[in-house]
Amino acid sequence: MADISTDVLVIGTGPAGSATAALLASYGVEVMVINRYRWLSNTPRAHITNQRTMEVLRDLGHEVEAEAMMHAAPQHLMGENVFCESLAGEELGRMKSWGTSPLSKAEHLMSSPCEMNDLPQTFMEPILFKTACSRGAQARMSTEYVSHEQDGDGVTTTCHDRLTGKTFTVRSKYLVGADGGNSMVAEHLGLPFEGKMGVGGSMNILFKADLSRYVAHRPSVLYWVMQPGADVGGIGMGLVRMVRPWNEWLIVWGYDINQPAPVVDAAMATQVARQLVGDPELEIDLISANTWTVNNCFATHMQKGRVFIMGDAAHRHPPSNGLGSNTSIQDGYNLAWKLAAVVKGQATPKLLDSYSTERAPIARQIVTRANQSIAEFGPIFEALGMDGGVDHDKIQRSMAARCDATPAAEAQREALRKAIELKKYEFDCHGVEMNQRYTSGAVVTDGQQPPTPNAEMELHYQPTTYPGARLPHVWLFDRNGAKHSTLDLTGKGQFTLITGIGGEPWIAAAETLSQSLNLPIRIVKIGPRCAIEDHGGDWARAREIRDAGCLLVRPDQHVAWRADTLTADPQADLTRVLHAILGH
């Protein structure tokens, strides 16, 4: 007999694990989460927090969203990616990033009730972990996953208590491996992966120093440094990253992956910091330094039986585009409601098959995008004559040549402008964050044709209510005049049926099914003199159905099914759809 029993055991308390535990606990599921270390992340690895992730935090509660915003550097300070010889040296160019240009800002405002921000992992993890524990999740630190065995009824996991040296077992109905890029859970499952680990080498140097005199006039999260050796290993260039404005910083510099990793001691850290900042007298307060490898690897399948993987365990890639923790948290948002429905007996285990079907293509997409973003630094190097060499004089001559009054120099200037503009696919790639659409057994299309793919789908969010897409955000109003996002009217672990005037039979059908399936279904009726009104007509333009039609929205705010108008038998149709999704 196992020493401990729970419904779901989560391995890892990073963004994926803590988010999953918080969501499951919020849904009333018994969950236990373990971490092999004594505490949470002590380095601010992930930081870019996109709108979709903030929507997940908002769904956990406005107080969770508010706490995240309180600790985050706001969007307007994320500013302009700066390309320079050093912080103190010549600036080579810059681009407005992360939704701060006027057109992109408008798109962000229209797309979501939430703002993206810069929230270091050292702040994000405690918020998610605290939310999980305060809502009932059991947590054990200094507890290491050893192995697991699954059978027809559950999973028995062997754990090692690093404080006492003893082993113990946990019996759970399901196991979630959110144990990072060297996931033992994924290894023990023997899941298939594509790609390669260790394609480049980088070092992180975390330090404190007041650099405001170099950045006050151009606030940004990222300052990209063009120096000899900048394209060796690493993430494309030398990087000075703001952690806390403007006195805590993280420097990233590459090393040759084919050589032994360097020992980054205080002397080396200071030398690299002085080099990239461009201040030979700079004194830093070194917090930590470490080396890491750039990966290009993803799981093509993310589950086996009762065991699932997520986060870095499933998609291993460089930090380009800021997709890491965002995708990890969204993995948890996809899986948690499905586990809750199965554990509560509302759905059959067939529903869980949709997790890998939906999230594995996302893993492939974001790993491909992140590594492609590194390659897209190439045109900048070419425009400046930095061809991979370390001849400082040659590079300086190439950079200086762009200042000449010659046709060649004019062409060089134009090439540099276009090369920097191309980086919008990394630093303002809104579509890759917001256009995730699912095709699986948990989505019913009834043969409807999907929207025609757009060439700019990776760059720009394209709202639709086509089944599988995230429900579009618009602002609606209650009878007291308070405004609510369409996303605020959904989620919270429940299905939602949205209809309008003439859609009353859908409401009756949903109420009947809610009782027979023991499945809470939230009802939202939108129209004049209804509880929710569309004064500006924004919902009428976004919904892509008629007044008497309906949208069935999943607990993760993705559309499960839609009907353009009232059908001949709404009860039968809604029954058919919910039975298909829930696996009955």
Side-chain angles (χ1 to χ4, degrees):
M1 181 177 290
D3 298 297
I4 300 171
S5 63
T6 188
D7 287 332
V8 181
L9 174 62
V10 179
I11 312 299
T13 59
S18 287
T20 302
L23 289 160
L24 287 170
S26 300
Y27 300 159
V29 174
E30 190 176 309
V31 57
M32 179 177 177
V33 57
I34 68 171
N35 179 356
R36 73 186 303 269
Y37 302 105
R38 63 180 179 84
W39 189 232
L40 308 176
S41 174
N42 60 2
T43 59
R45 289 165 287 184
H47 60 115
I48 299 295
T49 306
N50 66 35
Q51 287 182 298
R52 186 60 184 139
T53 294
M54 288 305 300
E55 290 170 0
V56 177
L57 270 61
R58 185 183 182 95
D59 195 44
L60 278 167
H62 286 281
E63 72 281 5
V64 180
E65 179 192 17
E67 185 173 4
M69 292 301 295
M70 179 178 68
H71 291 292
Q75 186 175 13
H76 71 271
L77 291 183
M78 296 173 72
E80 304 177 11
N81 271 269
V82 173
F83 300 86
C84 54
E85 291 187 274
S86 67
L87 259 61
E90 182 182 7
E91 182 174 326
L92 304 169
R94 66 175 83 170
M95 63 166 290
K96 290 187 179 296
S97 309
W98 313 119
T100 57
S101 71
L103 289 175
S104 186
K105 181 66 174 177
E107 182 177 312
H108 277 240
L109 288 171
M110 295 174 65
S111 300
S112 175
C114 302
E115 287 187 12
M116 74 175 305
N117 56 70
D118 188 278
L119 184 64
Q121 191 167 337
T122 42
F123 290 88
M124 173 69 87
E125 273 189 32
I127 292 171
L128 294 171
F129 184 71
K130 178 190 71 173
T131 301
C133 295
S134 67
R135 297 183 183 181
Q138 293 283 352
R140 287 187 63 133
M141 313 306 285
S142 300
T143 300
E144 189 170 8
Y145 163 85
V146 177
S147 63
H148 74 268
E149 292 183 6
Q150 57 176 314
D151 52 52
D153 298 318
V155 186
T156 300
T157 303
T158 300
C159 301
H160 174 70
D161 187 321
R162 301 181 75 187
L163 296 179
T164 66
K166 296 179 180 179
T167 60
F168 63 94
T169 55
V170 179
R171 181 68 175 173
S172 60
K173 295 173 183 174
Y174 296 97
L175 174 66
V176 176
D179 51 336
N182 294 309
S183 171
M184 292 296 294
V185 175
E187 182 179 331
H188 292 167
L189 279 179
L191 290 173
F193 279 79
E194 286 186 12
K196 183 180 179 182
M197 299 284 281
V199 297
S202 280
M203 65 183 79
N204 280 358
I205 300 169
L206 179 63
F207 67 97
K208 288 187 176 181
D210 181 3
L211 303 182
S212 56
R213 62 188 179 279
Y214 302 118
V215 300
H217 60 294
R218 49 182 183 182
S220 179
V221 174
L222 305 174
Y223 298 83
W224 297 93
V225 179
M226 306 288 292
Q227 291 185 0
D231 60 343
V232 175
I235 56 173
M237 285 192 188
L239 172 64
V240 182
R241 171 194 145 194
M242 180 274 290
V243 177
R244 299 273 85 186
W246 303 101
N247 66 346
E248 186 173 339
W249 301 86
L250 180 71
I251 276 180
V252 185
W253 188 245
Y255 71 88
D256 187 346
I257 193 68
N258 298 310
Q259 301 296 323
V263 177
V264 188
D265 55 18
M268 180 181 183
T270 300
Q271 183 269 325
V272 173
R274 289 175 173 176
Q275 176 184 335
L276 270 64
V277 173
D279 181 352
E281 305 299 325
L282 178 68
E283 295 295 334
I284 67 171
D285 179 8
L286 181 64
I287 300 173
S288 65
N290 64 285
T291 60
W292 51 281
T293 58
V294 177
N295 302 313
N296 184 358
C297 189
F298 56 88
T300 57
H301 196 68
M302 295 169 58
Q303 63 191 98
K304 181 178 289 186
R306 294 173 173 267
V307 184
F308 308 83
I309 62 168
M310 62 171 54
D312 289 353
H315 29 86
R316 307 165 186 182
H317 55 91
S320 315
N321 289 75
L323 295 169
S325 66
N326 292 293
T327 307
S328 300
I329 290 168
Q330 292 157 35
D331 286 345
Y333 198 41
N334 182 285
L335 180 61
W337 73 268
K338 298 172 182 177
L339 285 171
V342 174
V343 167
K344 293 177 181 179
Q346 298 162 343
T348 74
K350 184 180 178 182
L351 171 63
L352 299 175
D353 294 341
S354 66
Y355 169 66
S356 183
T357 304
E358 292 180 349
R359 294 305 294 177
I362 304 301
R364 176 189 294 271
Q365 178 191 23
I366 62 106
V367 171
T368 302
R369 176 67 257 168
N371 280 277
Q372 185 176 338
S373 290
I374 292 179
E376 287 169 353
F377 277 110
I380 298 179
F381 286 107
E382 292 172 13
L384 292 171
M386 296 180 65
D387 55 359
V390 293
D391 185 334
H392 191 273
D393 291 337
K394 176 185 174 184
I395 291 170
Q396 287 298 322
R397 289 193 300 272
S398 298
M399 288 184 176
R402 78 186 197 285
C403 302
D404 295 341
T406 64
E410 184 172 359
Q412 185 183 12
R413 292 191 292 271
E414 176 66 7
L416 180 59
R417 285 193 293 268
K418 288 183 176 179
I420 290 176
E421 183 183 3
L422 178 65
K423 294 305 292 176
K424 64 187 176 183
Y425 281 93
E426 178 174 2
F427 303 125
D428 206 11
C429 203
H430 199 217
V432 79
E433 302 166 357
M434 303 291 284
N435 282 329
Q436 296 179 6
R437 300 174 186 173
Y438 299 145
T439 302
S440 76
V443 172
V444 178
T445 65
D446 284 347
Q448 300 173 50
Q449 291 302 306
T452 303
N454 187 293
E456 292 199 321
M457 191 170 180
E458 192 172 33
L459 275 181
H460 299 289
Y461 171 53
Q462 297 172 13
T464 178
T465 63
Y466 181 76
R470 162 192 166 277
L471 180 71
H473 152 76
V474 301
W475 290 112
L476 299 169
F477 300 86
D478 64 25
R479 288 172 177 168
N480 296 319
K483 69 178 184 178
H484 306 268
S485 168
T486 44
L487 299 175
D488 294 334
L489 304 175
T490 64
K492 300 292 191 295
Q494 294 185 0
F495 279 85
T496 303
L497 183 121
I498 303 176
T499 189
I501 292 175
E504 291 78 11
W506 293 119
I507 296 174
E511 290 172 344
T512 299
L513 278 166
S514 181
Q515 293 294 321
S516 63
L517 294 174
N518 189 30
L519 179 75
I521 302 176
R522 184 186 296 104
I523 306 296
V524 178
K525 184 180 178 183
I526 303 171
R529 298 186 180 179
C530 296
I532 300 294
E533 299 194 65
D534 178 26
H535 294 313
D538 294 326
W539 175 242
R541 287 184 286 272
R543 66 191 180 184
E544 298 178 336
I545 58 171
R546 298 167 65 185
D547 285 348
C550 78
L551 297 177
L552 182 65
V553 183
R554 307 187 329 182
D556 60 358
Q557 301 171 335
H558 282 251
V559 177
W561 176 72
R562 69 180 179 182
D564 179 60
T565 191
L566 203 61
T567 62
D569 193 341
Q571 183 73 52
D573 283 324
L574 197 57
T575 300
R576 166 181 62 85
V577 168
L578 275 171
H579 279 205
I581 291 168
L582 300 174
H584 291 302

